[in-house]
Amino acid sequence: MTLNNLNDDWWKQAVVYQIYPRSFKDANGDGLGDIPGITSKMRYLRELGIDAIWLSPFYPSDLADGGYDIIDYRNVDPRLGDMADFDAMVSQAHQEGIKVIVDIVPNHTADRHAWFLEALASGRGSAARDRYIFKEGSGPNGEFPPNDWQSLFGGPAWERVEDGQWYLHIFAKEQPDLNWNNPEVHEEFKKTLRFWSDHGTDGFRVDVAHGLAKKLDGASMKDLSRWTVHDSLSHDGTHPLWDRAQVHDIYREWRQVFNEYDPPRFAVGEAWVVPEHQYLYASPDELGQVFNFEFAIANWFSGDFRTAIRDGLQAAKSSGSTATWVMSNHDVPRHPSRYGLPQAPSKATHQLPKDWVLRDGSSYEENRELGSKRARAAILMEAALPGSVYIYQGEELGLFEVPDIPWDRLEDPTPFRTRGRYTEKGRDGCRVPLPWDSLDTPDPASWNPRFGSGASFGFSPAHDADGARSADPHLPQPLWYRDFSVDVEQRDETSMLSLYKACLSRRAELLTPAQDSSVTWLDEGDDVIAYTRDAAESSAYTTIASITNFGATAITLPEGDLILSSAQLDDRSQLPQDTSVWIGMR
Ligand code: NOJ
C-alpha cells in the first residue's frame, strides 16, 4: 500500500489505471473480459504500483457504444459477472491497497433502458417522455428532424419514433439524451451514486460531464447547425449544449452526496472544455478533479507539452485542486503509435496528423522504434508532474494501436456512421484484449485475424467451465502481441513494463507525499521540457528534476544522481533526442 492511499486526499496525487473491462482479462472463457478477470489480476496491478483502478462501464448494455449505452445503472452485465463478483473485486482491490472508481454516464441511457421503453410506450407529452428530449419535427408534417444537428458519431442527432416525434441523441441513436431539467433524472442519479458508494466504490469518473445542462427551446435550436468542442461558439456558459453555466448546479448537488460518505467519494469529470473552464468542474464543491486532455491531443513537440503542463497546472491552481495527466484512453489511438507517426505542425491548430484520425491501416506510416522511444520519454516527463496520472490498460506494455482489424470484426459505432463511412476504423484499435501470456500464441501459419485460432495470449483460459475451447477474444489480437505479453515484459529489464514499474515506485517514494501543485521550470532551451519538484522529506534529495529533450542536439545534464532514464545514456552528462531522465539533487 502506498503512503498516498492511506489518507483522504489519496486522489490528489494518484496513479489511476483505466480498465476497459471487456478487454482486460476473461476469466470464464467467453472471449469477453469480466469482473472476476479483474480480480484475478489485482496482484499484477499492485506490483505495477498504481493507487486506483477506474473501470469503464461494466453495466448491462447492448454494446452500441462499448458499454457507454447503459440499460441498468445499478447492475453488472451478466456476461461480465454479477454484484457478488463486483463486491469480491472491490474487496480484493482494497486488500491490495487499490481504490476503485466506476464510470457514471449521465448524459444518456441506452435505448433499452426501462425509462426509454416507457417513454416510447407512453406517447407525446407524457411524464415518461419528459425524462428525455423529444421534439416535433420540422417540415409541413414534421417529417424532417427538428434541426440539422449532427451526432458526434456522424449522421443526424435526431431519431424519429413511431408516433412521429423525434428524440435527441448526441451520440449513437441507441443513446437517447436525458433531460436534466427533469427532477426525476436528478434523483435517479443520486440513487446510483449512493448505490455504488454503498458497494465500496471510492469514486466516479463522470462521462460527458460538460454536456448535461441543455437549453433546447425554440430559439437556441436554430442558433447552431453543427457543433464541435473546439468550435468558434461561445465559451461564456451560454452555449445551448456544451459547458453551460447551469451544469455546475448538478455537480454541487452531487458533491452533497459524495460528502455523505467518509471519506468523501471522489469524482473526476470528462469535460472537453477550453482549459480556462476546466477548473470550474474541479472545484472542491463540485467534482474535485477534471481530466486535462491536453496531453492526449499533444503532438510530439515540446511546445505542445509545455502548453499542456502550464494549462493543467493553472487550471488546478484556479480550482484549488490538483492536475491530471493522460496520454491514452479508450477513445484515442495509443500514444506510442501517435508519437511514431508523421507529426502535424502543432496541436495549437487542433490539427491531428491525418493518419492519427484515419486509422484505416493503409496510410499507416508508423515508426515503432521511434514511437516507443518517445513513449518511454513521455512517461518520465509525465509521472514527475504534480497531480494524478491516468494510465490506460496496456500502456504499461507499450502496446501500439491495432490499425488493421478487419472491417467485419469492428465493434465501435463510429466507422459505420455517416461521417466518413468506412474510412475511419474508430476506436477499437486501442481496445483489443490484452496479451498476458506469450506461451498461448497462435500458430502463425494458420493465423487469420478474421477467425479464431484457439489462442489468446492468455486473455481467455484455454477452456471454459464446461471444458469446451474458449471463445475467441471479442476483438482479434494481432500476432505481434506476443512480444508485448506481460510474461515477456516481466522477464525483460529493459521493457516498457519494467520502466513503468520503476517509474511509479520512484514517484511514490520521492514525489507523491508533496501536496504542492507547481513546478519550477528550468531553462534548457525551446526543445527541452525541464522542471524540478521538491523531493519528499523522507528521501535523500532536496529536489528531483525531470528533463526531456525533444531536439536533435544533445543537451548537457545538470549534476546529481541519475535516478531513471528512458534510454541507455552513452555519456552520463549528455541527454540525446527523445530521451528523458530524472535526476536527484541533494
Ligand atoms: C465518452 C466516452 O469516453 C466514450 O467512449 C463514449 O463514446 C462517449 N463518452 C459517449 O458516452
Side-chain angles (χ1 to χ4, degrees), residues 269-332:
E270 185 220 21
W272 290 84
V273 298
V274 286
E276 308 84 88
H277 280 195
Q278 286 173 8
Y279 79 95
L280 294 166
Y281 297 80
S283 79
D285 63 342
E286 295 195 23
L287 296 176
Q289 202 176 58
V290 69
F291 282 121
N292 164 24
F293 289 118
E294 301 286 295
F295 257 53
I297 59 173
N299 292 317
W300 190 254
F301 292 104
S302 52
D304 281 13
F305 286 99
R306 192 173 295 110
T307 310
I309 295 171
R310 287 213 165 111
D311 286 352
L313 294 176
Q314 183 52 47
K317 207 169 172 187
S318 314
S319 59
S321 182
T322 49
T324 57
W325 313 106
V326 43
M327 294 189 280
S328 279
N329 62 30
H330 65 296
D331 288 331
V332 301

Side-chain angles (χ1 to χ4, degrees), residues 76-121:
V76 175
D77 183 337
R79 291 167 294 188
L80 272 61
D82 57 21
M83 283 307 299
D85 292 323
F86 181 84
D87 292 340
M89 188 270 300
V90 171
S91 146
Q92 183 67 29
H94 287 167
Q95 260 176 47
E96 299 284 4
I98 294 173
K99 309 279 188 191
V100 179
I101 298 168
V102 302
D103 223 303
I104 289 291
V105 184
N107 183 67
H108 43 264
T109 68
D111 60 351
R112 280 218 301 127
H113 187 283
W115 271 9
F116 195 70
L117 297 178
E118 196 188 334
L120 292 183

Side-chain angles (χ1 to χ4, degrees), residues 65 68 105 108 153 171 175 205 207-208 270 330-331 427 431:
D65 178 20
Y68 284 87
V105 184
H108 43 264
F153 289 158
F171 295 91
Q175 294 167 294
R205 176 262 188 193
D207 191 63
V208 202
E270 185 220 21
H330 65 296
D331 288 331
R427 299 166 295 180
R431 299 176 178 183

Side-chain angles (χ1 to χ4, degrees), residues 67 71 109 115 132 205 309 417 427 438 504 522 551 561:
I71 293 173
T109 68
W115 271 9
Y132 293 91
R205 176 262 188 193
I309 295 171
R417 306 276 160 185
R427 299 166 295 180
S438 62
L504 299 186
L522 301 178
D561 293 352

Side-chain angles (χ1 to χ4, degrees), residues 368-389:
R368 288 198 164 178
E369 202 183 321
L370 186 63
S372 268
K373 188 172 191 211
R374 289 174 170 172
R376 292 175 68 90
I379 187 66
L380 295 200
M381 171 172 60
E382 183 190 57
L385 288 168
S388 297
V389 173

Side-chain angles (χ1 to χ4, degrees), residues 4 11-18 50-52 54 289 291 295 322-327 378-379 381-392 395 500 503-504 507 512 533 582:
N4 215 11
W11 53 271
K12 289 192 171 165
Q13 308 276 343
V15 177
V16 182
Y17 183 92
Q18 181 192 353
I50 56 153
D51 299 299
W54 143 35
Q289 202 176 58
F291 282 121
F295 257 53
T322 49
T324 57
W325 313 106
V326 43
M327 294 189 280
I379 187 66
M381 171 172 60
E382 183 190 57
L385 288 168
S388 297
V389 173
Y390 284 79
I391 292 174
Y392 176 54
E395 168 180 338
Y500 266 64
C503 172
L504 299 186
R507 175 186 145 96
T512 46
R533 301 260 320 274
W582 284 9

Side-chain angles (χ1 to χ4, degrees), residues 23-156:
S23 297
F24 184 69
K25 168 72 186 155
D26 168 25
N28 67 359
D30 64 357
L32 211 54
D34 44 37
I35 302 286
I38 298 172
T39 311
S40 73
K41 293 296 179 190
M42 216 55 88
R43 187 160 154 213
Y44 167 81
L45 294 168
R46 183 199 5 109
E47 287 173 359
L48 180 57
I50 56 153
D51 299 299
I53 47 176
W54 143 35
L55 270 54
S56 278
F58 50 84
Y59 317 107
S61 167
D62 285 336
L63 302 183
D65 178 20
Y68 284 87
D69 46 317
I70 299 172
I71 293 173
D72 177 357
Y73 284 78
R74 296 189 286 273
N75 217 333
V76 175
D77 183 337
R79 291 167 294 188
L80 272 61
D82 57 21
M83 283 307 299
D85 292 323
F86 181 84
D87 292 340
M89 188 270 300
V90 171
S91 146
Q92 183 67 29
H94 287 167
Q95 260 176 47
E96 299 284 4
I98 294 173
K99 309 279 188 191
V100 179
I101 298 168
V102 302
D103 223 303
I104 289 291
V105 184
N107 183 67
H108 43 264
T109 68
D111 60 351
R112 280 218 301 127
H113 187 283
W115 271 9
F116 195 70
L117 297 178
E118 196 188 334
L120 292 183
S122 309
R124 277 190 164 73
S126 61
R129 269 199 192 179
D130 190 55
R131 295 175 184 137
Y132 293 91
I133 298 164
F134 278 87
K135 296 275 174 202
E136 299 303 333
S138 58
N141 303 307
E143 67 276 41
F144 301 117
N147 65 13
D148 60 355
W149 289 357
Q150 300 290 300
S151 139
L152 284 184
F153 289 158

